[in-house]
Amino acid sequence: MSQRVIFFGTPAIAVSCLQALIDANIDVVAVVTKPDKPIGRKKQITESDVKIFAKQHKILVLQPNKVNEIVDVLIKMSPDLFIVCAFGQLISERVLKVPKFGCVNIHTSLLPRWRGGAPIHHAVLHGDKYTGISLMYMIKELDAGNIIYQKQVEIQPTETYRTLHDKLAKLAYGILHNKINSLFSKNVLSVPQDSNKVTIAQNITRADEKINWNKTVKQVDAQIRGLYDKPIAYTIYDDLWIKIHQAVPTTESSLSTPGSIIRIDDQGLYVVCGDQKVLKVIYLQIPGKKVIHVKDLIHGRHCFKIGKSFTY
């Protein structure tokens, strides 16, 4: 008799874990994902990545507003194990007690560092040299359960949220594919987290997206990379919200006020940061326009002027 798994997940990174279960010939009897929601300016109702994938593989999809609403349904399915990856809802203790062998979470950090909803963003934003995947048992407290397995990856100096996300998705797939069969047991070795080393990865807010040019060039660079390509860092120029998609620190210095544009050429738009170091903006986006390389911008009409400043 095959072991029965219910999978909980919502975004693209969770799809890699669901794919790992399917490739390992695990009986995924249902997928629980967040309800469809309106996306974009037109508020088009959009299905989660996990729902789209599950439908393609003819897996039952459940979309409760709160998981407690379907606890009786979950019990009737007699699951052996819950597997969770980036689900986006807190799971109550009542639900965690449903599966025979517990509830296992695939978390995209080296716990206890970066518990919470945005661990990939924060690893880049804070200049971490390493992150990784943690396979852990879930308890009532967020991301605080015992660790079953961890594997780390190096964060490159030019790493963005997107490149690190994709790297961790691949790593998560391999870990779950290799470890899944060993999790159908009540005797899995796991170790407690060190509560003295906990850091929290709060969800990214609109305020986190705004660039403060008083910060060092290293900090501003990390912010732009850590928010690319979701949700994208922005700055304000003449009341326009300018999204910065790509920039690199230079070795150049300037005594101009932080936020000042000191040069524009085919290589980029050069902005002074709080430590008097200069950041070269390469790709940006003006409201209502497509993302553009600065070299293409300067050959047409544009609003940027040397000596003017981005506000913060």
Side-chain angles (χ1 to χ4, degrees):
M1 182 177 178
S2 62
Q3 305 285 11
R4 296 168 62 81
V5 168
I6 297 177
F7 182 81
F8 294 69
T10 298
I13 196 163
V15 172
S16 64
C17 294
L18 184 53
Q19 181 71 66
L21 297 177
I22 292 171
D23 291 349
N25 297 315
I26 299 299
D27 184 12
V28 182
V29 296
V31 157
V32 185
T33 191
K34 293 179 74 173
D36 302 346
K37 65 179 182 179
I39 298 291
R41 292 180 182 176
K42 296 182 179 180
K43 302 298 181 182
Q44 183 174 354
I45 300 301
T46 305
E47 298 175 337
S48 74
D49 294 302
V50 163
K51 180 181 179 180
I52 293 168
F53 183 88
K55 287 168 59 179
Q56 292 170 347
H57 290 79
K58 297 180 169 54
I59 302 171
L60 173 67
V61 176
L62 304 173
Q63 294 181 277
N65 289 313
K66 300 291 182 182
V67 182
N68 275 346
E69 299 171 359
I70 60 167
V71 64
D72 292 335
V73 174
L74 299 174
I75 290 171
K76 288 179 181 178
M77 290 182 177
S78 300
D80 294 293
L81 190 68
F82 285 169
I83 297 291
V84 180
C85 179
F87 175 48
Q89 288 185 23
L90 287 174
I91 299 177
S92 70
E93 198 167 13
R94 183 183 177 207
V95 175
L96 293 175
K97 291 179 178 179
V98 170
K100 179 179 179 181
F101 298 117
C103 186
V104 173
N105 183 36
I106 299 95
H107 187 77
T108 51
S109 79
L110 296 174
L111 292 169
R113 186 160 179 79
W114 301 133
R115 292 180 183 176
I120 304 176
H121 290 96
H122 282 275
V124 179
L125 288 170
H126 288 82
D128 291 3
K129 294 186 181 300
Y130 297 94
T131 189
I133 295 292
S134 297
L135 199 64
M136 53 163 288
Y137 282 115
M138 294 185 69
I139 60 175
K140 185 177 180 180
E141 186 180 352
L142 180 66
D143 298 330
N146 283 10
I147 302 295
I148 302 166
Y149 179 79
Q150 288 185 320
K151 188 169 184 178
Q152 76 173 25
V153 294
E154 187 175 359
I155 300 177
Q156 300 299 323
T158 57
E159 201 89 66
T160 66
Y161 162 79
R162 174 53 52 191
T163 60
L164 186 56
H165 170 283
D166 294 348
K167 187 185 295 185
L168 290 173
K170 184 177 180 180
L171 183 61
Y173 171 94
I175 290 172
L176 190 57
H177 187 271
N178 292 334
K179 298 289 184 180
I180 182 61
N181 287 307
S182 68
L183 300 177
F184 296 107
S185 170
K186 293 184 178 179
N187 299 311
V188 176
L189 180 65
S190 64
V191 296
Q193 298 183 36
D194 185 346
S195 60
N196 294 317
K197 296 182 178 179
V198 173
T199 58
I200 304 299
Q202 301 284 1
N203 288 331
I204 301 300
T205 67
R206 193 62 169 161
D208 297 323
E209 298 167 28
K210 187 177 181 181
I211 296 172
N212 181 350
W213 296 100
N214 271 323
K215 291 186 176 181
T216 68
V217 71
K218 185 176 180 180
Q219 290 172 319
V220 176
D221 171 53
Q223 181 182 11
I224 293 168
R225 290 185 292 105
L227 299 180
Y228 182 81
D229 59 350
K230 181 181 179 181
I232 307 292
Y234 75 94
T235 187
I236 297 176
Y237 182 88
D238 281 349
D239 295 326
L240 294 174
W241 288 32
I242 309 296
K243 292 185 176 182
I244 307 296
H245 287 250
Q246 185 181 339
V248 295
T250 71
T251 58
E252 187 175 349
S253 297
S254 171
L255 296 178
S256 298
T257 304
S260 298
I261 300 170
I262 61 168
R263 190 165 71 257
I264 306 172
D265 60 27
D266 280 356
Q267 299 301 309
L269 184 153
Y270 299 78
V271 187
V272 181
C273 296
D275 57 354
Q276 304 301 315
K277 299 295 184 182
V278 176
L279 185 78
K280 179 172 68 175
V281 176
I282 301 172
Y283 284 94
L284 54 75
Q285 186 175 16
I286 298 170
K289 305 292 184 180
K290 294 181 178 180
V291 181
I292 190 169
H293 193 291
V294 170
K295 70 179 179 182
D296 298 318
L297 181 73
I298 66 174
H299 294 303
R301 295 181 61 186
H302 66 87
C303 58
F304 302 106
K305 297 183 184 302
I306 295 170
K308 292 193 67 173
S309 297
F310 293 111
T311 58
Y312 46 88

